[in-house]
């Protein structure tokens, strides 16, 4: 892959990734992740 | 006696893998209490497949979180922007270097593969087709079925429930060992997942990283970024003497000379350390050295 193309794709995805992350935080998904992560996950440990 | 091929300087990677495990799971006292860490840092995803029900974990597993943020409320599916953002940014910077250096379950498989006495299998006929399975796991168990269950009303994280060996090893076993209450509730799902874990660990005696090669959805995601990630593998054909040493030491069973951009490469650097002419180098950034591909 040409260097310019690689940098172009990288930049677009970096902007998209940052936007996704910020939008996720503002829409409360970080809290949802926290809520799930601080309780024992029944599916993970084979109970649920 | 069959042994895994040795490569100089491998102890450095092993040290980083051990340190990464401790950094992601530093609250070791929970192992003795049968409880899990509940700090605010668990809102942040860790890079590797590290179960958030590991008692000592201080971060969230990206695959567990991806499934669980696919639903907003009852019968209301959602796009998991937050976790996708994490995965895109991690993939863009490190790609599958995360697998080679930071993932706890990758490390466990590496350690088991080092046990001698078993004939090591590098590859076998049709093996490359099995590698597509991880994309099916991602599409069906991580995205399709959880999303379907979210539409139906109650989200079920199918990958965690039926397959994830990290949840069994880092979550179920220590919690069951430390808590009589957990032990009393174990049933068919637990034994199914124990079967999956034990099969994978036994397979790791013969094949290097079977879970990473064939089943891991996180490896499938990071692999898609390998061609553009900042961490990359450079190959200089003009200095290569075609001795084939790189190929014999690759833990993912690929030919680094031909597949240096492959989604399978975990950027472990073993090929680079085995190469007598420094034709292969793991580098960081956009620049490529003159004469390299
Ligand atoms: S493929 Fe999956 S289990 Fe293997 S090292 Fe990568 S993230 Fe970890
Ligand atoms: S090609 Fe080299 S860096 Fe990639 S997985 Fe194989 S040995 Fe490791």
């Amino acid at each position: 892959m040409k260097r310019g193309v690689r940098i172009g794709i990288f930049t677009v995805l970096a902007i998209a990734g940052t936007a996704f992350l910020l939008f996720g935080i503002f829409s409360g998904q970080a809290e949802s992740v926290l809520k799930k992560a601080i309780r024992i996950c029944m599916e993970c440990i084979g109970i649920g | 006696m069959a042994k895994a091929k040795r490569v100089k300087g491998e102890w450095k990677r092993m040290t980083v893998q051990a340190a990464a495990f401790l950094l992601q799971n530093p609250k070791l006292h929970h192992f003795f209490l049968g409880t899990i860490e509940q700090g605010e840092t668990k809102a942040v995803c860790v890079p590797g497949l590290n179960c958030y029900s590991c008692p000592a974990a201080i971060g969230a597993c990206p695959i567990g979180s991806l499934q669980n943020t696919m639903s907003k409320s009852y019968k209301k599916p959602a796009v998991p922007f937050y976790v996708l953002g994490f995965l895109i940014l991690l993939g863009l910077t490190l790609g599958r270097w995360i697998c080679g250096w930071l993932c706890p379950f990758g490390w466990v498989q590496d350690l088991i593969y080092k046990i001698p006495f078993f004939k090591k299998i590098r590859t076998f006929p049709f093996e490359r087709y099995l590698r597509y399975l991880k994309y099916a796991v991602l599409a069906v168990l991580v995205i399709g079925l959880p999303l379907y269950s979210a539409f139906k009303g109650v989200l079920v994280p199918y990958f965690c429930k039926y397959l994830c060996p990290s949840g069994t090893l880092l979550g179920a076993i220590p919690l069951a060992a430390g808590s009589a209450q957990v032990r009393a509730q174990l049933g068919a799902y637990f034994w199914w997942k124990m079967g999956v874990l034990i099969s994978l660990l036994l397979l790791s005696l013969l094949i290097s990283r079977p879970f990473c090669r064939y089943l891991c959805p996180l490896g499938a995601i990071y692999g898609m970024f390998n061609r553009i990630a900042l961490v990359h593998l450079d190959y200089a054909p003009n200095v290569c003497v075609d001795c084939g040493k790189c190929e014999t030491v690759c833990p993912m069973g690929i030919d680094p000379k031909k597949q240096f951009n492959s989604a399978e490469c975990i950027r472990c650097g073993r090929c680079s350390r085995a190469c007598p002419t420094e034709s292969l180098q793991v580098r960081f950034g956009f620049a490529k050295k003159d004469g390299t591909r």
Side-chain angles (χ1 to χ4, degrees):
Chain A
M1 191 188 293
K2 287 223 168 76
R3 188 163 169 243
V5 177
R6 198 173 142 216
I7 294 177
I9 299 174
F10 182 95
T11 311
V12 170
L13 286 174
I15 294 169
T18 312
F20 279 20
L21 190 71
L22 294 176
F23 182 76
I25 292 171
F26 291 126
S27 57
Q29 288 183 353
E31 263 167 53
S32 310
V33 167
L34 177 65
K35 265 191 207 153
K36 175 74 187 172
I38 58 173
R39 294 200 196 104
I40 293 176
C41 162
M42 294 302 166
E43 291 88 357
C44 300
I45 68 169
I47 292 179
Chain B
M1 181 167 58
K3 275 188 184 168
K5 289 247 187 287
R6 279 177 175 249
V7 175
K8 65 176 188 263
E10 189 63 355
W11 65 270
K12 284 184 200 154
R13 190 168 67 96
M14 288 283 156
T15 311
V16 173
Q17 286 174 305
F21 175 79
L22 281 175
L23 279 172
Q24 293 172 92
N25 305 284
K27 305 277 181 168
L28 300 174
H29 62 282
H30 285 290
F31 280 118
F32 304 101
L33 301 174
T35 52
I36 69 168
E37 168 61 16
Q38 297 188 313
E40 301 264 310
T41 51
K42 286 186 114 171
V44 179
C45 292
V46 290
L49 198 72
N50 193 120
C51 185
Y52 36 35
S53 287
C54 171
I58 56 162
C61 166
I63 291 293
S65 305
L66 187 71
Q67 294 166 91
N68 280 304
T69 45
M70 279 187 197
S71 162
K72 220 185 282 172
S73 52
Y74 183 68
K75 286 198 177 179
K76 281 223 173 108
V79 180
F81 285 109
Y82 178 66
V83 184
L84 285 176
F86 262 109
L87 291 172
I88 292 172
L89 296 177
L90 284 168
L92 279 178
T93 41
L94 305 173
R96 279 197 91 175
W97 182 86
I98 291 165
C99 302
W101 296 74
L102 305 181
C103 178
F105 199 69
W107 179 44
V108 169
Q109 292 170 92
D110 281 347
L111 290 175
I112 292 180
Y113 187 69
K114 283 190 180 302
I115 299 174
F117 311 116
F118 298 91
K119 189 169 162 42
K120 306 296 178 189
I121 302 167
R122 223 185 77 76
T123 184
F124 50 87
F126 307 112
E127 193 246 359
R128 69 193 174 102
Y129 298 108
L130 273 183
R131 293 180 189 245
Y132 292 112
L133 256 180
K134 57 181 171 290
Y135 299 102
V137 170
L138 174 64
V140 178
L141 293 184
V142 178
I143 301 171
L145 290 175
L147 206 54
Y148 176 73
S149 67
F151 271 111
K152 285 289 207 186
V154 181
L155 187 138
V156 180
Y158 279 83
F159 174 75
C160 301
K161 186 166 179 169
Y162 292 102
L163 193 61
C164 183
S166 175
T168 316
L169 183 67
L170 299 178
I173 294 175
L175 283 172
S179 157
Q181 207 187 340
V182 171
R183 269 197 307 279
Q185 294 180 68
L186 299 179
Y189 289 125
F190 171 77
W191 292 111
W192 162 259
K193 286 191 64 179
M194 275 299 280
V196 172
L197 173 68
I198 292 169
S199 310
L200 286 166
L201 297 183
L202 288 176
L203 213 53
S204 302
L205 289 166
L206 314 174
I207 298 176
S208 167
R209 292 190 174 230
F211 180 71
C212 309
R213 286 188 193 201
Y214 312 127
L215 296 173
C216 183
L218 190 53
I221 295 174
Y222 290 145
M224 293 179 204
F225 291 93
N226 258 5
R227 287 177 78 89
I228 44 171
L230 290 177
V231 175
H232 60 276
L233 183 64
D234 276 355
Y235 171 54
N238 51 344
V239 283
C240 172
V241 289
D242 224 353
C243 64
K245 283 189 180 146
C246 53
E247 205 180 333
T248 61
V249 299
C250 175
M252 295 301 281
I254 58 175
D255 180 354
K257 304 191 295 301
K258 294 184 187 133
Q259 294 165 283
F260 50 91
N261 262 333
S262 157
E264 298 297 314
C265 172
I266 57 170
R267 309 307 193 213
C268 65
R270 280 173 65 88
C271 54
S272 153
R273 289 193 291 278
C275 175
T277 64
E278 297 184 0
S279 306
L280 290 153
Q281 295 288 329
V282 178
R283 292 208 172 87
F284 187 84
F286 290 115
K288 291 217 168 230
K289 247 184 147 184
D290 284 349
T292 62
R293 284 187 192 159

